[in-house]
Amino acid sequence: MGHGDLMSRAEDVADQFLRVTKHYLPHVARLCLVSTFLEDGFRMWFQWGEQSEYIESTWSCGRFIANIFVLLNLLGQLGGCVLILSRNCVQYACFTLFGIISLQTVAYSILWDPKFLMRNLSLGGGLLLLLAECREEAHSVFAGVPSLGHQSSPRNLLQLGGRVLLVLMFMTLLHFDLSLFTVLQNLVGSALLVLVAVGLKTKLAALTLVVWLLVINVTFNAFWSVPSYRPTHDFLKYDFFQTTSVIGGLLLLVALGPGGVSVDQKKKEW
């Protein structure tokens, strides 16, 4: 079996998966995407004292301001997730979650940690795809109205930005040593990243990354196997739900497609 035949078979499997799951894949994608915000919102409630004390001691802002910070994170994240899952005011919910990501990036000094910064940017990429989906739904309401369909339309640009930001998550998974397995893993992973970023074989590449992330998440972020009193439990839990959110973004990319600014779209025009 040649390389072309193998790719064709793989694309057929991906298309079959989409046909079977097309009715509920967007719902699963949304739930996965907001999972880290749900978890963090509930953590703000159950660890209110610890979070407030950390902000107060780090920024010397006083207990009142620290409590306001925790309250904003709790209400913003849980409220935004409820709106997204119920498909109400999704754009405003996305902007709220963007604000929460920005606020936490500064408050927890994530701006100076490249690994956590890239993961937060990946979450932003998932939210951009969610905004693109909202625009797609809005256009479908006016299906009979003529459209320019220009590549620089906001929806296409949102999908492009979402694709590029999503792959940043995988940059944190690359390892730099010379073992054969690591080199092969980095080569395959880098190839998939490029395919998603430029929009070539997008759905197949995104599904492959979903499987890869699922295996890594269950294997290395199994927080349920660590006692809750150990600090490692919270770190693994944080990584698990952040990775799940990026999986949700990739599933949304599979459901939506790469958009107009992509090699896949150009090939259709050729």
Side-chain angles (χ1 to χ4, degrees):
M1 183 182 293
H3 177 265
D5 294 334
L6 186 62
M7 286 297 296
S8 296
R9 289 282 298 275
E11 288 182 320
D12 289 341
V13 171
D15 289 337
Q16 179 63 26
F17 172 80
L18 287 176
R19 282 193 293 270
V20 172
T21 62
K22 65 179 180 179
H23 294 299
Y24 54 86
L25 184 61
H27 303 289
V28 174
R30 282 171 176 252
L31 180 59
C32 289
L33 181 57
V34 302
S35 63
T36 192
F37 299 106
L38 284 172
E39 186 275 332
D40 197 54
F42 283 116
R43 184 162 56 88
M44 290 293 167
W45 174 260
F46 290 109
Q47 297 182 4
W48 184 296
E50 294 92 327
Q51 297 296 324
S52 178
E53 183 178 347
Y54 173 82
I55 294 298
E56 181 184 11
S57 62
T58 301
W59 294 97
S60 301
C61 58
R63 181 52 65 97
F64 177 76
I65 299 297
N67 283 330
I68 292 296
F69 170 84
V70 177
L71 182 63
L72 285 175
N73 275 270
L74 189 154
L75 295 179
Q77 291 184 101
L78 295 184
C81 291
V82 169
L83 291 175
I84 287 172
L85 292 176
S86 63
R87 294 178 179 263
N88 292 309
C89 304
V90 175
Q91 291 191 17
Y92 296 110
C94 287
F95 291 140
T96 299
L97 294 180
F98 275 126
I100 295 294
I101 291 175
S102 303
L103 183 63
Q104 291 190 354
T105 298
V106 175
Y108 294 110
S109 301
I110 292 174
L111 195 61
W112 315 117
D113 188 320
K115 177 180 177 181
F116 288 104
L117 179 60
M118 283 193 285
R119 292 190 173 198
N120 272 12
L121 289 174
S122 293
L123 288 179
L127 292 175
L128 287 179
L129 291 175
L130 198 53
L131 285 173
E133 184 193 32
C134 292
R135 286 188 170 270
E136 186 175 72
E137 291 174 349
H139 282 304
S140 67
V141 174
F142 304 99
V145 179
S147 173
L148 294 176
H150 197 269
Q151 288 184 353
S152 61
S153 68
R155 181 166 64 89
N156 286 331
L157 295 178
L158 286 171
Q159 287 177 272
L160 172 63
R163 290 200 322 265
V164 172
L165 290 178
L166 269 180
V167 301
L168 292 178
M169 173 64 151
F170 297 90
M171 300 296 292
T172 68
L173 302 177
L174 299 179
H175 301 285
F176 300 97
D177 61 65
L178 298 179
S179 66
L180 179 61
F181 177 76
T182 301
V183 170
L184 289 175
Q185 182 181 7
N186 287 346
L187 287 175
V188 173
S190 299
L192 292 171
L193 299 185
V194 172
L195 289 176
V196 170
V198 302
L200 176 61
K201 309 287 185 185
T202 312
K203 294 183 179 181
L204 177 59
L207 278 175
T208 305
L209 289 175
V210 166
V211 174
W212 184 18
L213 268 186
L214 277 172
V215 172
I216 290 176
N217 211 21
V218 174
T219 304
F220 297 105
N221 295 329
F223 66 90
W224 53 85
S225 64
V226 179
S228 58
Y229 61 84
R230 295 180 59 181
T232 310
H233 175 90
D234 285 339
F235 285 113
L236 290 177
K237 192 175 182 181
Y238 174 82
D239 281 349
F240 178 87
F241 282 103
Q242 274 218 327
T243 305
T244 301
S245 288
V246 175
I247 289 173
L250 288 168
L251 289 175
L252 201 56
L253 176 60
V254 172
L256 289 177
V261 188
S262 64
V263 177
D264 285 341
Q265 183 62 35
K266 284 292 186 182
K267 288 172 66 178
K268 291 179 182 178
E269 295 173 0
W270 296 337

